[in-house]
mmCIF file of all heavy atoms in Angstrom:
data_model
loop_
_atom_site.group_PDB
_atom_site.id
_atom_site.type_symbol
_atom_site.label_atom_id
_atom_site.label_comp_id
_atom_site.label_asym_id
_atom_site.label_seq_id
_atom_site.Cartn_x
_atom_site.Cartn_y
_atom_site.Cartn_z
ATOM 1 N N THR A 1 152.741 178.086 117.446
ATOM 2 C CA THR A 1 153.647 177.167 118.003
ATOM 3 C C THR A 1 154.467 177.859 119.024
ATOM 4 O O THR A 1 155.213 178.786 118.704
ATOM 5 C CB THR A 1 154.570 176.588 116.843
ATOM 6 O OG1 THR A 1 153.856 175.979 115.871
ATOM 7 C CG2 THR A 1 155.572 175.633 117.450
ATOM 8 N N ALA A 2 154.356 177.438 120.275
ATOM 9 C CA ALA A 2 154.970 178.078 121.430
ATOM 10 C C ALA A 2 156.133 177.135 121.898
ATOM 11 O O ALA A 2 155.885 175.993 122.250
ATOM 12 C CB ALA A 2 153.978 178.402 122.545
ATOM 13 N N MET A 3 157.299 177.804 122.081
ATOM 14 C CA MET A 3 158.455 177.021 122.509
ATOM 15 C C MET A 3 159.101 177.722 123.713
ATOM 16 O O MET A 3 159.139 178.991 123.746
ATOM 17 C CB MET A 3 159.439 176.866 121.371
ATOM 18 C CG MET A 3 158.992 175.946 120.319
ATOM 19 S SD MET A 3 158.813 174.228 120.853
ATOM 20 C CE MET A 3 157.980 173.452 119.456
ATOM 21 N N PRO A 4 159.700 176.983 124.678
ATOM 22 C CA PRO A 4 160.247 177.606 125.920
ATOM 23 C C PRO A 4 161.674 178.011 125.809
ATOM 24 O O PRO A 4 162.177 178.627 126.799
ATOM 25 C CB PRO A 4 160.078 176.483 126.971
ATOM 26 C CG PRO A 4 160.299 175.224 126.126
ATOM 27 C CD PRO A 4 159.643 175.543 124.752
ATOM 28 N N ASP A 5 162.412 177.687 124.762
ATOM 29 C CA ASP A 5 163.784 178.094 124.627
ATOM 30 C C ASP A 5 164.209 178.231 123.181
ATOM 31 O O ASP A 5 163.479 177.857 122.296
ATOM 32 C CB ASP A 5 164.697 176.983 125.333
ATOM 33 C CG ASP A 5 164.546 175.630 124.741
ATOM 34 O OD1 ASP A 5 165.149 175.406 123.611
ATOM 35 O OD2 ASP A 5 163.805 174.772 125.240
ATOM 36 N N GLY A 6 165.415 178.791 123.044
ATOM 37 C CA GLY A 6 165.871 179.097 121.690
ATOM 38 C C GLY A 6 166.148 177.961 120.817
ATOM 39 O O GLY A 6 165.880 177.934 119.623
ATOM 40 N N LEU A 7 166.732 176.888 121.343
ATOM 41 C CA LEU A 7 167.022 175.730 120.536
ATOM 42 C C LEU A 7 165.836 175.003 120.031
ATOM 43 O O LEU A 7 165.731 174.666 118.832
ATOM 44 C CB LEU A 7 167.928 174.774 121.345
ATOM 45 C CG LEU A 7 169.295 175.244 121.675
ATOM 46 C CD1 LEU A 7 170.085 174.250 122.587
ATOM 47 C CD2 LEU A 7 170.190 175.446 120.394
ATOM 48 N N SER A 8 164.787 174.860 120.876
ATOM 49 C CA SER A 8 163.582 174.237 120.395
ATOM 50 C C SER A 8 162.843 175.207 119.428
ATOM 51 O O SER A 8 162.190 174.749 118.484
ATOM 52 C CB SER A 8 162.660 173.848 121.574
ATOM 53 O OG SER A 8 162.283 175.054 122.240
ATOM 54 N N GLY A 9 162.996 176.472 119.685
ATOM 55 C CA GLY A 9 162.379 177.459 118.809
ATOM 56 C C GLY A 9 163.032 177.400 117.363
ATOM 57 O O GLY A 9 162.297 177.444 116.357
ATOM 58 N N LEU A 10 164.330 177.122 117.309
ATOM 59 C CA LEU A 10 165.034 177.089 116.033
ATOM 60 C C LEU A 10 164.549 175.841 115.348
ATOM 61 O O LEU A 10 164.303 175.822 114.071
ATOM 62 C CB LEU A 10 166.561 177.062 116.222
ATOM 63 C CG LEU A 10 167.385 176.915 114.942
ATOM 64 C CD1 LEU A 10 167.113 178.121 114.026
ATOM 65 C CD2 LEU A 10 168.857 176.862 115.289
ATOM 66 N N GLU A 11 164.477 174.744 116.035
ATOM 67 C CA GLU A 11 163.966 173.440 115.415
ATOM 68 C C GLU A 11 162.574 173.587 114.877
ATOM 69 O O GLU A 11 162.219 173.154 113.804
ATOM 70 C CB GLU A 11 164.025 172.377 116.443
ATOM 71 C CG GLU A 11 163.606 170.969 115.945
ATOM 72 C CD GLU A 11 163.706 169.886 116.968
ATOM 73 O OE1 GLU A 11 164.222 170.150 118.068
ATOM 74 O OE2 GLU A 11 163.283 168.754 116.675
ATOM 75 N N ALA A 12 161.722 174.274 115.685
ATOM 76 C CA ALA A 12 160.259 174.481 115.264
ATOM 77 C C ALA A 12 160.267 175.382 114.025
ATOM 78 O O ALA A 12 159.452 175.207 113.123
ATOM 79 C CB ALA A 12 159.490 175.120 116.401
ATOM 80 N N PHE A 13 161.178 176.438 114.010
ATOM 81 C CA PHE A 13 161.168 177.290 112.789
ATOM 82 C C PHE A 13 161.546 176.474 111.582
ATOM 83 O O PHE A 13 160.866 176.653 110.495
ATOM 84 C CB PHE A 13 162.191 178.410 113.044
ATOM 85 C CG PHE A 13 162.466 179.216 111.770
ATOM 86 C CD1 PHE A 13 161.518 180.178 111.421
ATOM 87 C CD2 PHE A 13 163.532 178.977 110.958
ATOM 88 C CE1 PHE A 13 161.729 180.931 110.260
ATOM 89 C CE2 PHE A 13 163.756 179.724 109.861
ATOM 90 C CZ PHE A 13 162.841 180.694 109.472
ATOM 91 N N ARG A 14 162.535 175.643 111.689
ATOM 92 C CA ARG A 14 162.899 174.897 110.501
ATOM 93 C C ARG A 14 161.900 173.847 110.091
ATOM 94 O O ARG A 14 161.790 173.494 108.891
ATOM 95 C CB ARG A 14 164.294 174.169 110.813
ATOM 96 C CG ARG A 14 165.441 175.202 110.869
ATOM 97 C CD ARG A 14 166.707 174.540 111.395
ATOM 98 N NE ARG A 14 167.883 175.501 111.235
ATOM 99 C CZ ARG A 14 169.033 175.283 111.842
ATOM 100 N NH1 ARG A 14 169.206 174.179 112.584
ATOM 101 N NH2 ARG A 14 170.032 176.145 111.625
ATOM 102 N N THR A 15 161.186 173.324 111.052
ATOM 103 C CA THR A 15 160.169 172.286 110.743
ATOM 104 C C THR A 15 158.871 172.886 110.266
ATOM 105 O O THR A 15 158.281 172.436 109.265
ATOM 106 C CB THR A 15 159.852 171.422 112.035
ATOM 107 O OG1 THR A 15 161.077 170.847 112.431
ATOM 108 C CG2 THR A 15 158.845 170.373 111.691
ATOM 109 N N ASP A 16 158.441 173.943 110.909
ATOM 110 C CA ASP A 16 157.095 174.509 110.606
ATOM 111 C C ASP A 16 157.034 175.622 109.604
ATOM 112 O O ASP A 16 155.989 175.910 108.993
ATOM 113 C CB ASP A 16 156.424 174.976 111.950
ATOM 114 C CG ASP A 16 156.228 173.843 112.919
ATOM 115 O OD1 ASP A 16 156.217 172.647 112.465
ATOM 116 O OD2 ASP A 16 156.085 174.099 114.153
ATOM 117 N N ARG A 17 158.157 176.282 109.423
ATOM 118 C CA ARG A 17 158.199 177.409 108.507
ATOM 119 C C ARG A 17 157.054 178.422 108.766
ATOM 120 O O ARG A 17 156.167 178.658 107.905
ATOM 121 C CB ARG A 17 158.235 177.013 107.043
ATOM 122 C CG ARG A 17 159.463 176.315 106.633
ATOM 123 C CD ARG A 17 160.663 177.198 106.762
ATOM 124 N NE ARG A 17 161.963 176.549 106.622
ATOM 125 C CZ ARG A 17 163.137 177.104 106.673
ATOM 126 N NH1 ARG A 17 163.180 178.426 107.056
ATOM 127 N NH2 ARG A 17 164.227 176.426 106.490
ATOM 128 N N PRO A 18 157.089 179.076 109.933
ATOM 129 C CA PRO A 18 155.971 179.960 110.299
ATOM 130 C C PRO A 18 155.939 181.296 109.414
ATOM 131 O O PRO A 18 156.949 181.522 108.746
ATOM 132 C CB PRO A 18 156.242 180.299 111.769
ATOM 133 C CG PRO A 18 157.749 180.198 111.831
ATOM 134 C CD PRO A 18 158.143 179.026 110.971
ATOM 135 N N ASP A 19 154.847 181.974 109.432
ATOM 136 C CA ASP A 19 154.712 183.237 108.796
ATOM 137 C C ASP A 19 155.441 184.373 109.512
ATOM 138 O O ASP A 19 155.737 185.372 108.906
ATOM 139 C CB ASP A 19 153.242 183.593 108.557
ATOM 140 C CG ASP A 19 152.537 182.582 107.702
ATOM 141 O OD1 ASP A 19 152.935 182.379 106.527
ATOM 142 O OD2 ASP A 19 151.635 181.876 108.164
ATOM 143 N N ILE A 20 155.551 184.274 110.814
ATOM 144 C CA ILE A 20 156.216 185.315 111.634
ATOM 145 C C ILE A 20 156.697 184.709 112.921
ATOM 146 O O ILE A 20 156.166 183.709 113.395
ATOM 147 C CB ILE A 20 155.133 186.487 111.947
ATOM 148 C CG1 ILE A 20 155.854 187.657 112.616
ATOM 149 C CG2 ILE A 20 154.009 185.901 112.775
ATOM 150 C CD1 ILE A 20 154.948 188.908 112.737
ATOM 151 N N ALA A 21 157.760 185.317 113.429
ATOM 152 C CA ALA A 21 158.381 184.804 114.702
ATOM 153 C C ALA A 21 158.323 185.897 115.786
ATOM 154 O O ALA A 21 158.729 187.009 115.449
ATOM 155 C CB ALA A 21 159.762 184.344 114.444
ATOM 156 N N LEU A 22 157.899 185.534 116.932
ATOM 157 C CA LEU A 22 157.969 186.418 118.119
ATOM 158 C C LEU A 22 158.976 185.815 119.120
ATOM 159 O O LEU A 22 158.808 184.678 119.548
ATOM 160 C CB LEU A 22 156.600 186.480 118.810
ATOM 161 C CG LEU A 22 155.337 186.856 117.993
ATOM 162 C CD1 LEU A 22 154.152 186.920 118.920
ATOM 163 C CD2 LEU A 22 155.562 188.209 117.413
ATOM 164 N N LEU A 23 160.076 186.535 119.288
ATOM 165 C CA LEU A 23 161.178 185.960 120.066
ATOM 166 C C LEU A 23 161.453 186.812 121.264
ATOM 167 O O LEU A 23 161.721 188.071 121.188
ATOM 168 C CB LEU A 23 162.431 185.936 119.220
ATOM 169 C CG LEU A 23 162.282 185.326 117.827
ATOM 170 C CD1 LEU A 23 163.604 185.374 117.132
ATOM 171 C CD2 LEU A 23 161.854 183.879 117.915
ATOM 172 N N ASP A 24 161.328 186.250 122.477
ATOM 173 C CA ASP A 24 161.799 186.926 123.664
ATOM 174 C C ASP A 24 163.329 187.049 123.682
ATOM 175 O O ASP A 24 163.988 186.111 123.253
ATOM 176 C CB ASP A 24 161.269 186.190 124.915
ATOM 177 C CG ASP A 24 161.615 186.981 126.206
ATOM 178 O OD1 ASP A 24 161.411 188.185 126.219
ATOM 179 O OD2 ASP A 24 162.109 186.351 127.137
ATOM 180 N N VAL A 25 163.839 188.181 124.101
ATOM 181 C CA VAL A 25 165.261 188.383 124.121
ATOM 182 C C VAL A 25 165.976 187.400 125.042
ATOM 183 O O VAL A 25 166.977 186.783 124.718
ATOM 184 C CB VAL A 25 165.605 189.791 124.523
ATOM 185 C CG1 VAL A 25 167.090 189.965 124.708
ATOM 186 C CG2 VAL A 25 165.131 190.810 123.448
ATOM 187 N N MET A 26 165.429 187.285 126.287
ATOM 188 C CA MET A 26 166.084 186.415 127.298
ATOM 189 C C MET A 26 165.448 185.115 127.429
ATOM 190 O O MET A 26 164.556 184.835 128.204
ATOM 191 C CB MET A 26 166.041 187.210 128.654
ATOM 192 C CG MET A 26 166.707 188.535 128.631
ATOM 193 S SD MET A 26 168.483 188.470 128.236
ATOM 194 C CE MET A 26 169.118 187.655 129.722
ATOM 195 N N VAL A 27 165.905 184.146 126.565
ATOM 196 C CA VAL A 27 165.451 182.748 126.637
ATOM 197 C C VAL A 27 166.675 181.843 126.784
ATOM 198 O O VAL A 27 167.777 182.227 126.286
ATOM 199 C CB VAL A 27 164.632 182.296 125.450
ATOM 200 C CG1 VAL A 27 163.270 183.020 125.482
ATOM 201 C CG2 VAL A 27 165.333 182.586 124.131
ATOM 202 N N PRO A 28 166.512 180.673 127.434
ATOM 203 C CA PRO A 28 167.724 179.841 127.656
ATOM 204 C C PRO A 28 168.100 179.051 126.401
ATOM 205 O O PRO A 28 167.372 178.987 125.483
ATOM 206 C CB PRO A 28 167.252 178.888 128.773
ATOM 207 C CG PRO A 28 165.756 178.848 128.580
ATOM 208 C CD PRO A 28 165.357 180.214 128.152
ATOM 209 N N GLY A 29 169.300 178.521 126.478
ATOM 210 C CA GLY A 29 169.788 177.659 125.374
ATOM 211 C C GLY A 29 170.420 178.500 124.309
ATOM 212 O O GLY A 29 171.634 178.433 124.003
ATOM 213 N N LEU A 30 169.541 179.212 123.596
ATOM 214 C CA LEU A 30 170.035 180.113 122.527
ATOM 215 C C LEU A 30 169.149 181.404 122.721
ATOM 216 O O LEU A 30 167.935 181.332 122.510
ATOM 217 C CB LEU A 30 169.713 179.432 121.183
ATOM 218 C CG LEU A 30 170.159 180.172 119.887
ATOM 219 C CD1 LEU A 30 171.690 180.203 119.789
ATOM 220 C CD2 LEU A 30 169.568 179.563 118.649
ATOM 221 N N ASP A 31 169.831 182.487 123.064
ATOM 222 C CA ASP A 31 169.039 183.650 123.378
ATOM 223 C C ASP A 31 168.325 184.206 122.112
ATOM 224 O O ASP A 31 168.628 183.804 121.006
ATOM 225 C CB ASP A 31 169.907 184.754 123.976
ATOM 226 C CG ASP A 31 170.968 185.241 123.037
ATOM 227 O OD1 ASP A 31 170.646 186.127 122.186
ATOM 228 O OD2 ASP A 31 172.082 184.817 123.076
ATOM 229 N N GLY A 32 167.321 185.116 122.368
ATOM 230 C CA GLY A 32 166.494 185.566 121.240
ATOM 231 C C GLY A 32 167.253 186.277 120.187
ATOM 232 O O GLY A 32 166.896 186.158 119.015
ATOM 233 N N VAL A 33 168.228 187.072 120.541
ATOM 234 C CA VAL A 33 169.038 187.766 119.566
ATOM 235 C C VAL A 33 169.833 186.832 118.661
ATOM 236 O O VAL A 33 169.851 186.953 117.438
ATOM 237 C CB VAL A 33 170.048 188.779 120.234
ATOM 238 C CG1 VAL A 33 170.954 189.379 119.185
ATOM 239 C CG2 VAL A 33 169.238 189.849 120.917
ATOM 240 N N SER A 34 170.418 185.785 119.280
ATOM 241 C CA SER A 34 171.169 184.760 118.439
ATOM 242 C C SER A 34 170.230 183.964 117.616
ATOM 243 O O SER A 34 170.544 183.628 116.505
ATOM 244 C CB SER A 34 171.945 183.796 119.414
ATOM 245 O OG SER A 34 172.899 184.528 120.197
ATOM 246 N N LEU A 35 169.050 183.643 118.185
ATOM 247 C CA LEU A 35 168.016 182.942 117.371
ATOM 248 C C LEU A 35 167.539 183.749 116.188
ATOM 249 O O LEU A 35 167.381 183.216 115.089
ATOM 250 C CB LEU A 35 166.913 182.560 118.302
ATOM 251 C CG LEU A 35 165.654 181.899 117.622
ATOM 252 C CD1 LEU A 35 166.055 180.631 116.835
ATOM 253 C CD2 LEU A 35 164.517 181.608 118.617
ATOM 254 N N CYS A 36 167.417 185.043 116.400
ATOM 255 C CA CYS A 36 167.047 185.933 115.252
ATOM 256 C C CYS A 36 168.103 185.890 114.209
ATOM 257 O O CYS A 36 167.725 185.817 113.019
ATOM 258 C CB CYS A 36 166.830 187.342 115.839
ATOM 259 S SG CYS A 36 166.366 188.526 114.532
ATOM 260 N N ARG A 37 169.365 185.876 114.569
ATOM 261 C CA ARG A 37 170.416 185.873 113.582
ATOM 262 C C ARG A 37 170.388 184.605 112.832
ATOM 263 O O ARG A 37 170.546 184.543 111.589
ATOM 264 C CB ARG A 37 171.783 185.974 114.268
ATOM 265 C CG ARG A 37 172.099 187.403 114.811
ATOM 266 C CD ARG A 37 173.567 187.498 115.128
ATOM 267 N NE ARG A 37 173.882 188.802 115.753
ATOM 268 C CZ ARG A 37 174.031 189.039 116.980
ATOM 269 N NH1 ARG A 37 173.961 187.984 117.831
ATOM 270 N NH2 ARG A 37 174.294 190.221 117.505
ATOM 271 N N ARG A 38 170.105 183.495 113.498
ATOM 272 C CA ARG A 38 170.089 182.149 112.834
ATOM 273 C C ARG A 38 168.890 182.107 111.855
ATOM 274 O O ARG A 38 169.095 181.608 110.768
ATOM 275 C CB ARG A 38 169.898 181.018 113.868
ATOM 276 C CG ARG A 38 171.094 180.917 114.876
ATOM 277 C CD ARG A 38 172.302 180.249 114.218
ATOM 278 N NE ARG A 38 172.129 178.805 114.136
ATOM 279 C CZ ARG A 38 172.414 177.927 115.090
ATOM 280 N NH1 ARG A 38 172.875 178.366 116.263
ATOM 281 N NH2 ARG A 38 172.235 176.671 114.917
ATOM 282 N N ILE A 39 167.776 182.640 112.248
ATOM 283 C CA ILE A 39 166.608 182.680 111.392
ATOM 284 C C ILE A 39 166.951 183.587 110.155
ATOM 285 O O ILE A 39 166.621 183.243 109.048
ATOM 286 C CB ILE A 39 165.405 183.209 112.147
ATOM 287 C CG1 ILE A 39 164.879 182.192 113.130
ATOM 288 C CG2 ILE A 39 164.232 183.617 111.166
ATOM 289 C CD1 ILE A 39 163.772 182.641 114.047
ATOM 290 N N ARG A 40 167.535 184.724 110.432
ATOM 291 C CA ARG A 40 167.777 185.680 109.289
ATOM 292 C C ARG A 40 168.869 185.090 108.347
ATOM 293 O O ARG A 40 168.784 185.388 107.194
ATOM 294 C CB ARG A 40 168.309 186.972 109.894
ATOM 295 C CG ARG A 40 168.358 188.123 108.956
ATOM 296 C CD ARG A 40 166.978 188.351 108.184
ATOM 297 N NE ARG A 40 165.954 188.993 109.076
ATOM 298 C CZ ARG A 40 164.699 188.467 109.158
ATOM 299 N NH1 ARG A 40 164.374 187.381 108.498
ATOM 300 N NH2 ARG A 40 163.809 189.109 109.892
ATOM 301 N N ASP A 41 169.703 184.165 108.785
ATOM 302 C CA ASP A 41 170.683 183.508 107.901
ATOM 303 C C ASP A 41 169.942 182.590 106.883
ATOM 304 O O ASP A 41 170.455 182.317 105.837
ATOM 305 C CB ASP A 41 171.630 182.664 108.677
ATOM 306 C CG ASP A 41 172.732 183.578 109.413
ATOM 307 O OD1 ASP A 41 172.879 184.700 109.013
ATOM 308 O OD2 ASP A 41 173.333 183.028 110.307
#
């Protein structure tokens, strides 16, 4: 599941429950580091 920004990535994570996440650091909306924190929560 490929997403172009952090907010859509977070929504996809919550919907699809993937086995692993690959996050680029510099993405718009919600950067990769912040997205990682949200996932880790």
Side-chain angles (χ1 to χ4, degrees):
T1 298
M3 292 296 172
D5 60 78
L7 291 175
S8 63
L10 180 60
E11 182 179 354
F13 171 78
R14 289 171 170 169
T15 301
D16 298 339
R17 292 298 173 182
D19 296 299
I20 187 168
L22 305 180
L23 312 177
D24 184 46
V25 171
M26 300 299 292
V27 291
L30 185 69
D31 66 80
V33 173
S34 299
L35 176 55
C36 181
R37 289 195 184 99
R38 298 283 284 274
I39 289 174
R40 194 53 74 228
D41 286 342

